[in-house]
């Protein structure tokens, strides 16, 4: 696995552009960039110009009528759009030499993810939410990292299609379900500790519920269960081995997690970069093939 050491501390402000105007952009990305002491939200672009203008005005930024115009005006680009659109626009931003703060999944196909990775010329970070939460990061450092683990498991259950849920109207989530929405989060919790996935077996249960059995390069095994239609809300993560059992703390501070992702981008921390996210897409694509063939 890759190791990382921090470079010199950055002293100037990083100028950001935001692509996207939906709930997540307004609740997390825009306020997170605006609040960070080392970043400035310069502009916003979205397919809905009215929303882009309103979001930009709320945070003292400029609305842009063209995405390439926005990319040309900034040093870094944050994305809050569906993954197929993200892959297309991130490619353009990467080719322009911009740093990228991306959402998961990186793309909906391995080919699209590969194109982004090959185009990258500057630091990238993918916002696997829990990996940047301060309490979860501390848990990994003190309780998980550099310990020998025989296995791990992740259970993530949600019910986003209930009335009033801001994610329930997302077409790509309706089409792709939990595997592609929260599956990346589960894999990002397991792979850095247990190693790359060498083999995966998958079964689908009720609605969008998916169960995975994984064998990692270290010889360890793990399991994942995800659902967006469980009519229940819970996240449970644990590792086990000769040292006992380590259970992940449950609460997540979204604002602090996004600040952590920005910190990682500023520092050039590549542990959760586009290349790592591409490997996650590969696992998801392999699972999807199994489920379709089965």
């Amino acid at each position: 696995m890759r190791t990382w050491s921090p470079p010199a501390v950055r002293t100037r402000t990083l100028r950001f552009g935001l692509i996207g105007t939906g709930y997540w952009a307004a609740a997390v990305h825009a306020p997170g960039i605006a609040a960070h002491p080392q970043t400035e939200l310069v502009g916003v672009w979205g397919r809905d110009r009215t929303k882009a203008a309103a979001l930009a005005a709320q945070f003292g930024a400029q609305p842009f009528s063209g995405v390439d115009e926005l990319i040309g005006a900034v040093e870094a680009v944050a994305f809050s759009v569906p993954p197929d659109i993200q892959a297309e626009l991130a490619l353009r931003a990467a080719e322009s030499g911009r740093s990228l703060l991306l959402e998961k999944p990186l793309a909906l196909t391995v080919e699209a993810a590969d194109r982004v990775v090959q185009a990258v010329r500057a630091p990238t970070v993918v916002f696997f939410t829990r990996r940047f939460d301060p309490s979860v990061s501390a848990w990994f450092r003190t309780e998980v990292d550099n310990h020998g683990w025989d296995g791990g498991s992740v259970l993530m259950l949600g019910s986003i299609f209930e009335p009033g849920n801001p994610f329930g109207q997302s077409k790509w989530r309706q089409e792709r379900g939990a595997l592609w929405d929260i599956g990346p989060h589960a894999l990002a919790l397991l792979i850095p500790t247990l190693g790359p996935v060498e083999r995966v077996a998958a079964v689908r249960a009720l609605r969008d519920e998916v169960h995975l059995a994984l064998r990692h390069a270290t010889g360890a095994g793990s399991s994942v269960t995800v659902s967006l239609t469980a009519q229940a809300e819970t996240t449970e993560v644990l590792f086990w081995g000769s040292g006992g059992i380590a259970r992940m703390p449950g609460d997540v501070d979204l604002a602090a997690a996004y600040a952590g992702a920005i910190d990682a981008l500023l520092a050039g921390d590549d542990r959760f970069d586009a290349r790592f996210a591409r490997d996650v897409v590969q696992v998801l694509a392999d699972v999807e093939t199994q489920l379709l063939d089965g």
Side-chain angles (χ1 to χ4, degrees), residues 105-118:
L106 175 60
L108 292 177
T109 68
V110 176
E111 294 75 17
D114 281 337
R115 287 192 290 271
V116 175
V117 169
Q118 291 162 8

Side-chain angles (χ1 to χ4, degrees), residues 117-139:
V117 169
Q118 291 162 8
V120 164
R121 302 173 188 171
T124 64
V125 166
V126 179
F127 186 40
F128 295 101
T129 311
R130 285 175 175 80
R131 294 302 320 216
F132 297 101
D133 175 80
S135 63
V136 174
S137 294
W139 176 73

